């Protein structure tokens, strides 16, 4: 079913809102009537904004959230052909250039990314949240591995992310049954850092982002890279990467400020440089 004329006239900039304030980039999915399901254009805008945040020295943290009852219901499948002739490789190519690029953009972003999950996070939407470095969830939030309900294999990095977060047995349970997981249960399993009252989600996300934006930005980026690579790396490689990261980091002004402030017994003032 194609978008209605009214919806097609709405700009992608208004459907994926973007603001930068106090060195925090805020990306808001703003299509509440569709539970913030993502069209290809909206997905591409999020990827572009994350790439820009990586390169912008005035951005030192990112928050991704949604409006209405949903964080993100996944990819918008309306208008997707379910019958007819397909060329071999079409589906794999679509995933590589679409959903997988979105998840990679979050994982590769050089700034810490917080998911403020305000409602339902399903399918690709759940993976968008779980790819973030920190996950805050409102009490009303739910996480759903919806693919099995549609007879589909999990995509958008799900089979990569979930076993690393909860182990293979729990990951299979979530993916095999497709049951909705409440925010408290997601926290218990380790998918969520903290569950807060719905009314406190925005405030808590802003507080966390402000703390991250005041931190040593390059050190956080290198730490993110080390942690993300650690589960697929042997000890010798991980130790070598850690030493190289620290070598690089010690050339930054923030690292020098951190050591100097310790010697001078004062709080550091990091500038993201």
């Amino acid at each position: 079913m194609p978008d209605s004329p009214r919806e097609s006239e709405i700009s992608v900039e208004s459907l994926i809102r973007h603001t930068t304030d106090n060195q925090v980039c805020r990306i808001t999915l703003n299509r509440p009537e569709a539970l913030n399901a993502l069209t290809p254009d909206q997905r591409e805008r999020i990827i572009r904004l994350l790439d820009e945040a990586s390169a912008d020295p005035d951005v030192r943290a990112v928050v991704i959230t949604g409006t209405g009852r949903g964080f993100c219901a996944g990819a918008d499948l309306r208008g997707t052909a379910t019958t007819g002739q397909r060329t071999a490789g079409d589906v794999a190519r679509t995933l590589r250039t679409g959903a997988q690029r979105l998840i990679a953009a979050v994982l590769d972003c050089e700034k810490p990314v917080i998911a403020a999950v305000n409602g339902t996070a399903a399918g690709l939407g759940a993976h968008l949240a779980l790819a973030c470095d920190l996950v805050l969830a409102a009490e009303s939030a739910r996480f759903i591995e919806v693919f099995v309900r549609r007879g589909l294999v999990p995509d958008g990095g799900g089979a990569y992310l979930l076993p690393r977060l909860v182990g293979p047995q729990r990951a299979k349970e979530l993916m095999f049954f497709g049951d909705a997981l409440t925010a408290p249960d997601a926290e218990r399993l380790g998918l969520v850092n903290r569950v807060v009252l719905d009314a406190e989600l925005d405030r808590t996300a802003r507080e966390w982002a402000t703390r991250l934006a005041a931190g040593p930005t390059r050190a956080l980026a290198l730490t993110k890279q080390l942690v993300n690579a650690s589960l697929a790396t042997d000890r010798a490689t991980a130790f070598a990467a850690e030493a190289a990261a620290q070598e690089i980091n010690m050339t930054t002004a923030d690292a020098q400020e951190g050591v100097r402030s310790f010697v001078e017994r004062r709080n550091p003032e990091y500038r993201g440089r």
Side-chain angles (χ1 to χ4, degrees):
M1 174 178 161
D3 291 347
S4 66
R6 179 180 177 277
E7 184 171 295
S8 64
E9 292 171 2
I10 301 174
S11 69
V12 69
E13 288 79 11
S14 66
L15 296 173
I16 303 295
R17 298 199 312 238
H18 166 243
T19 59
T20 299
D21 185 42
N22 293 325
Q23 299 185 302
V24 175
C25 164
R26 188 176 181 88
I27 300 171
T28 303
L29 283 59
N30 185 38
R31 197 178 171 219
E33 71 283 355
L35 294 180
N36 296 316
L38 292 174
T39 65
D41 285 348
Q42 293 160 29
R43 181 194 66 224
E44 291 302 309
R45 176 162 166 79
I46 295 172
I47 293 171
R48 186 168 61 253
L49 290 171
L50 289 167
D51 288 344
E52 291 172 356
S54 284
D56 188 348
D58 292 326
V59 171
R60 296 170 66 185
V62 178
V63 174
I64 300 177
T65 191
T67 58
R69 297 181 298 108
F71 172 75
C72 177
D76 188 343
L77 299 179
R78 294 185 304 169
T80 301
T82 57
T83 60
Q85 191 81 20
R86 276 202 177 99
T87 301
D90 277 354
V91 174
R93 190 178 307 108
T94 298
L95 286 175
R96 284 197 305 270
T97 61
Q100 291 176 352
R101 282 180 57 244
L102 173 62
I103 301 307
V106 179
L107 294 171
D108 295 338
C109 183
E110 296 178 30
K111 309 299 165 63
V113 183
I114 298 172
V117 184
N118 55 294
T120 299
L124 178 61
H127 301 164
L128 174 62
L130 299 179
C132 293
D133 303 302
L134 299 171
V135 183
L136 290 169
E139 280 189 329
S140 63
R142 299 187 307 160
F143 298 81
I144 310 173
E145 286 296 316
V146 74
F147 299 93
V148 70
R149 299 185 185 183
R150 311 288 183 257
L152 301 174
V153 171
D155 61 38
Y160 173 86
L161 293 168
L162 275 171
R164 284 164 169 76
L165 292 168
V166 299
Q169 300 300 113
R170 288 292 192 183
K172 290 172 189 173
E173 178 184 345
L174 295 172
M175 291 178 167
F176 286 2
F177 292 115
D179 294 333
L181 193 66
T182 67
D185 283 343
E187 183 182 32
R188 177 176 56 81
L189 291 178
L191 292 173
V192 167
N193 291 89
R194 188 173 301 175
V195 176
V196 299
L197 296 173
D198 287 37
E200 295 180 359
L201 179 67
D202 183 67
R203 178 181 61 80
T204 306
R206 290 180 186 277
E207 288 176 354
W208 282 31
T210 298
R211 289 183 63 187
L212 290 171
T217 307
R218 291 308 303 164
L220 292 177
L222 291 165
T223 300
K224 174 174 179 172
Q225 291 174 13
L226 289 172
V227 173
N228 284 354
S230 65
L231 293 177
T233 303
D234 62 83
R235 186 185 69 180
T237 302
F239 278 22
E242 176 187 278
Q246 193 69 290
E247 178 78 22
I248 293 168
N249 187 64
M250 286 304 295
T251 67
T252 67
D254 278 350
Q256 295 165 27
E257 163 64 6
V259 173
R260 187 165 52 247
S261 66
F262 174 77
V263 172
E264 297 173 0
R265 297 185 178 182
R266 60 175 174 79
N267 292 328
E269 295 182 9
Y270 297 122
R271 303 189 181 281
R273 301 294 194 274

